[in-house]
Amino acid sequence: MRDPHAKTPSKATHIVVGDGITALAFVKQCSLAAGDHLVVLGRNASQLGRGAAYAKGREDTPWRYAYLLNSPADDIDPAFARWLSDRWDMLADTMTGRAPNWMRAAQPLVNAGDVYGVNAPREFYGDFMEEQAEEALAHHRAQGVQVSLIDDCALTLQSGSDGTTIQTEAGRTITARAVDVAPGGPSTLRLEGDNGAFAVPSVFGNEEEIAEHIKRGAEIFCIGGNAAMLDVLRLCQSLIPEEQLRFVACAPDGEIPAALVPRLPRKLTRPNLSSGHDTAKTFLAEVQREIDLAQKAGDEMREIRAGFRAHFLANPLTNYIDDADQARRVPAQLRFWLRGGTRDTIMDMHRLVGEGGARMIKGAVKAIEHGPDGAKVRIVDADGGETVHNTGLVINCAGAGPTSHYDPLTENMLTQGLIGICPVSKGLTVGPQCKTGAPGVRYLSPATTVIGDEVMAMPLYDAHMLRTYAARAG
């Protein structure tokens, strides 16, 4: 999509900062005319739509297609589900013979005529999104708009009489009359000792090092029980036979997330919630009742989660809780209750726990210490007691936390007070329609929890949610 010979512009009509699904959503809704200049500025802007989450892997890595989407294809995007179905034979050829055996896991859904329900490799979704980006940019070009895709990292933003000026890591300076900022989420919570001889601070970008430990037979210890932990399991399965697997995950609740299992015909749980709550506590009690009732009625977590998501997209929290600060206490608990994950990997995890190749530990990791041939993990239980677990390699999959940081541009905007941090939810706050304190600048990221007066019930770590709110900003 990028013209490698194009000059870097000093002026633009509209800059979109980012290269993932939110950036693409902003690109699609840009209202531009002939002679205008659209600049997309991101680390991988030339592969707009993929972002870090759906990047193209290296052909020579066994784990290239191992990482899967957390949700069934049509939960992510019905258009993606159709794209997947239309290309099924080609994609099946790509996946046949790979470890772990994705085709075997998908076969029951295929036999039932439910290709839309598979958990596709994330790179396939990146292929789909890159095609969407090419179509969107082609539309702009057909309208006479000049388009520049620049692979670079935005560092600072400054408003002036000529518009908003962006400074980049490579030393570029670009000024535009309108800017949409669409970065990723915050960094992983760092822990003492999580980067050393026998520990890495994240799975992504460290696969080569992790693979060496897996292949030498080391026990693999994940901090956290989330999607990144499941990715590590897939990485292990892509490299060694399951009977050789030694896999441990440690999470405060000691539980494996629920699998998002699709069924035909599709069904959404329809919560029945009342207004007029004074506190988050009473509202959450009502939500818990509705979840319990849905489970007793036989609803799967996919149906419950998708049903609540659809409900809250149409009915913001302030419809039910009058006090906005009380409403802001809700999303963290809802995210935990309605969490789910990749059907294939979660079912594998349950099976491997039963067979002894994997296990879950309940507790919070305090620190990691490195010895001559492995790591010692210090774990604190709910009562404050501490135990030590000796292991081979520790991978930090803890997710975001109080000491997490954002990308440089987000940090710069926070420093200037152009966006804020909600004192209750600790997420990012922006104005109505994602407007910031700088004229002509909008901001939306997965960490955004307050948009104007709206308090979102479901966090935006969800492709469908991000696209919806980006569209509403327009």
Side-chain angles (χ1 to χ4, degrees), residues 9-238:
S10 59
K11 293 280 187 181
T13 309
H14 196 124
I15 300 175
V16 175
V17 179
D19 50 34
I21 57 174
T22 317
L24 176 54
F26 278 135
V27 165
K28 285 182 174 181
Q29 62 162 267
C30 284
S31 180
L32 299 171
D36 286 344
H37 191 169
L38 169 66
V39 172
V40 182
L41 176 67
R43 184 77 66 184
N44 294 296
S46 55
Q47 296 182 25
L48 174 63
R50 288 186 177 278
Y54 314 114
K56 188 177 288 292
R58 275 177 28 205
E59 291 185 11
D60 60 340
T61 55
W63 56 85
R64 178 176 180 185
Y65 297 105
Y67 304 145
L68 306 181
L69 295 168
N70 296 337
S71 301
D74 60 353
D75 269 9
I76 298 286
D77 185 343
F80 170 62
R82 291 191 294 273
W83 182 94
L84 197 70
S85 181
D86 291 344
R87 292 159 180 78
W88 183 254
D89 289 344
M90 180 184 68
L91 301 179
D93 285 344
T94 299
M95 296 304 293
T96 297
R98 303 190 70 89
N101 193 335
W102 182 78
M103 286 301 299
R104 182 176 60 199
Q107 200 59 51
L109 290 169
V110 175
N111 293 343
D114 192 12
V115 170
Y116 282 27
V118 301
N119 288 99
R122 290 207 285 265
E123 184 172 328
F124 289 173
Y125 187 57
D127 294 341
F128 167 75
M129 292 302 293
E130 196 169 356
E131 285 186 17
Q132 296 288 300
E134 288 171 353
E135 291 176 10
L137 296 176
H139 172 76
H140 283 305
R141 291 184 178 113
Q143 302 302 309
V145 176
Q146 183 182 350
V147 176
S148 298
L149 304 178
I150 301 175
D151 292 342
D152 198 355
C153 180
L155 299 181
T156 65
L157 176 154
Q158 189 65 49
S159 291
S161 57
D162 292 337
T164 300
T165 299
I166 302 283
Q167 299 281 349
T168 78
E169 188 175 73
R172 295 178 170 93
T173 301
I174 311 172
T175 301
R177 70 182 185 216
V179 177
D180 288 329
V181 182
S187 66
T188 297
L189 172 68
R190 298 299 303 274
L191 296 164
E192 181 183 343
D194 71 357
N195 192 6
F198 299 101
V200 293
S202 70
V203 57
F204 307 114
N206 295 300
E207 285 96 341
E208 298 281 358
E209 180 180 350
I210 297 168
E212 292 304 312
H213 290 272
I214 294 170
K215 289 186 287 189
R216 72 175 175 83
E219 180 184 86
I220 304 301
F221 185 103
C222 290
I223 302 171
N226 55 16
M229 176 273 288
L230 297 173
D231 288 337
V232 177
L233 178 57
R234 298 284 296 184
L235 176 60
C236 291
Q237 291 173 302
S238 75

